[in-house]
Amino acid sequence: MENELKNNKDIALFENKKIRKEVHNNEWYFSVVDIIEILTESKIPKRYWTDLKKKFENEGNFETYDKIVQLKLIAEDGKKRLTDCANRETIFRLIQSIPSPNAEPFKLWFAKLAEERIQEINNPSLILERAKNTYFKKGYSQEWTNARLKSSSARNQITDEWKKRGAETNDYSILTDEISKGTFGISTKIHKQIKKLEKSSQNLRDNMSPIELALITLAEVTTTEIHKSNDSQGLPELKKDAKDGGEIASITRKNIEQKLGKSIVTSENSLNFKNNSKHLNDK
């Protein structure tokens, strides 16, 4: 479950300012530019970071410079792009290199954040518990949260399967789209438009109803089993399985819609699913 929860919430917040993060070698790595923006309050943190890297080179500070790694993080345009990242130890070294009134409060907050990751490694169930608490704090009901976490588990299983069977990370959106078209009869892009999600960074699953989440979970679990049964390899075979898995889930969707007399997919989004709001109202 960790991967999807991580990717779903691959943002840490310091005083409502975002820091992108990614698990690498079983520890959190953080966007250096995001941290520099917080510490310096610079409007051009990338330029500040470029100058700081030159300073490290000139001073022969290769111990810090060499520990920077590039990981794919979500950029402003919604696409994953290679970004300079560093682990806890290296981030603390960077903080010492940047004069800032925000340094001390940031170090205290960052130390707590890093400690939480260590606790999660020793006790993975904490990831689930923290995810639950996060959704509860946002106002989601227990019913919705349970459905969301089940979908997270299914998502992790299927992406792990895709990776083992030769799919590249960029292929995941293609395969997800096949599952969505099979399950709901619409692409993920159209699904987002129906729910009025204008920003590319808005997570579709955080805006699905419990029934929508249950259906996408069914589709992904089914697709995972089809992959295993067929021993599918490569994008074309995986894509066919994804279509089949989605179409199987669509049978359940159509049966539910027939009984309810209305469409499962509506314009309702996260605003409707918080504070125990009634789900699936007709639009």
Side-chain angles (χ1 to χ4, degrees), residues 201-245:
S201 60
Q202 289 180 285
N203 189 293
L204 177 57
R205 295 189 193 214
D206 283 349
N207 291 275
M208 287 184 178
S209 68
I211 293 182
E212 286 174 295
L213 287 168
L215 287 166
I216 198 66
T217 298
L218 172 62
E220 290 190 334
V221 169
T222 302
T223 302
T224 298
E225 292 306 311
I226 294 173
H227 289 334
K228 293 176 181 177
S229 177
N230 293 343
D231 192 21
S232 302
Q233 302 293 331
L235 182 58
E237 292 183 7
L238 295 174
K239 191 174 177 180
K240 182 181 182 301
D241 292 348
K243 180 180 179 181
D244 291 343

Side-chain angles (χ1 to χ4, degrees), residues 107-233:
K107 280 196 290 187
L108 291 173
W109 171 84
F110 187 72
K112 181 177 181 295
L113 184 71
E115 179 61 28
E116 286 178 356
R117 175 58 188 161
I118 293 172
Q119 292 173 359
E120 288 170 359
I121 292 171
N122 293 330
N123 184 3
S125 66
L126 289 174
I127 300 171
L128 178 61
E129 195 60 33
R130 286 188 177 123
K132 279 185 180 180
N133 290 335
T134 297
Y135 285 125
F136 287 156
K137 286 177 182 177
K138 289 182 177 180
Y140 287 105
S141 68
Q142 184 164 346
E143 176 199 8
W144 184 94
T145 300
N146 289 339
R148 181 67 180 92
L149 295 180
K150 287 177 182 177
S151 80
S152 296
S153 178
R155 182 65 180 175
N156 287 341
Q157 290 173 21
I158 199 167
T159 54
D160 286 346
E161 206 65 34
W162 288 342
K163 185 176 181 180
K164 287 191 296 184
R165 297 181 181 280
E168 301 291 334
T169 303
N170 292 336
D171 296 332
Y172 293 2
S173 60
I174 297 172
L175 295 167
T176 301
D177 216 39
E178 284 299 316
I179 293 174
S180 176
K181 287 186 287 188
T183 304
F184 300 110
I186 53 174
S187 67
T188 52
K189 181 179 180 180
I190 297 299
H191 206 155
K192 278 191 169 188
Q193 289 175 354
I194 291 172
K195 290 186 175 294
K196 300 179 176 63
L197 306 182
E198 297 176 356
K199 296 180 181 178
S200 58
S201 60
Q202 289 180 285
N203 189 293
L204 177 57
R205 295 189 193 214
D206 283 349
N207 291 275
M208 287 184 178
S209 68
I211 293 182
E212 286 174 295
L213 287 168
L215 287 166
I216 198 66
T217 298
L218 172 62
E220 290 190 334
V221 169
T222 302
T223 302
T224 298
E225 292 306 311
I226 294 173
H227 289 334
K228 293 176 181 177
S229 177
N230 293 343
D231 192 21
S232 302
Q233 302 293 331

Side-chain angles (χ1 to χ4, degrees), residues 2-14:
E2 177 181 353
N3 291 336
E4 204 275 340
L5 291 176
K6 163 183 68 64
N7 291 331
N8 171 2
K9 306 327 127 236
D10 52 359
I11 297 291
L13 289 176
F14 174 74

Side-chain angles (χ1 to χ4, degrees), residues 37-93:
E37 184 175 7
I38 289 171
L39 292 176
T40 65
E41 298 182 348
S42 170
K43 294 182 179 179
I44 315 176
K46 290 182 180 178
R47 182 180 297 175
Y48 191 105
W49 174 227
T50 298
D51 293 340
L52 188 57
K53 284 193 285 187
K54 289 179 181 177
K55 180 183 176 183
F56 287 156
E57 288 186 88
N58 294 334
E59 293 176 351
N61 185 1
F62 298 112
E63 185 177 4
T64 299
Y65 185 80
D66 289 346
K67 293 195 174 179
I68 301 297
V69 300
Q70 286 201 319
L71 301 174
K72 285 190 175 183
L73 302 179
I74 298 292
E76 290 181 358
D77 60 6
K79 296 180 180 179
K80 283 201 167 188
R81 302 191 183 279
L82 288 173
T83 307
D84 284 346
C85 298
N87 64 5
R88 176 178 63 162
E89 182 182 355
T90 305
I91 291 297
F92 276 120
R93 288 202 186 102

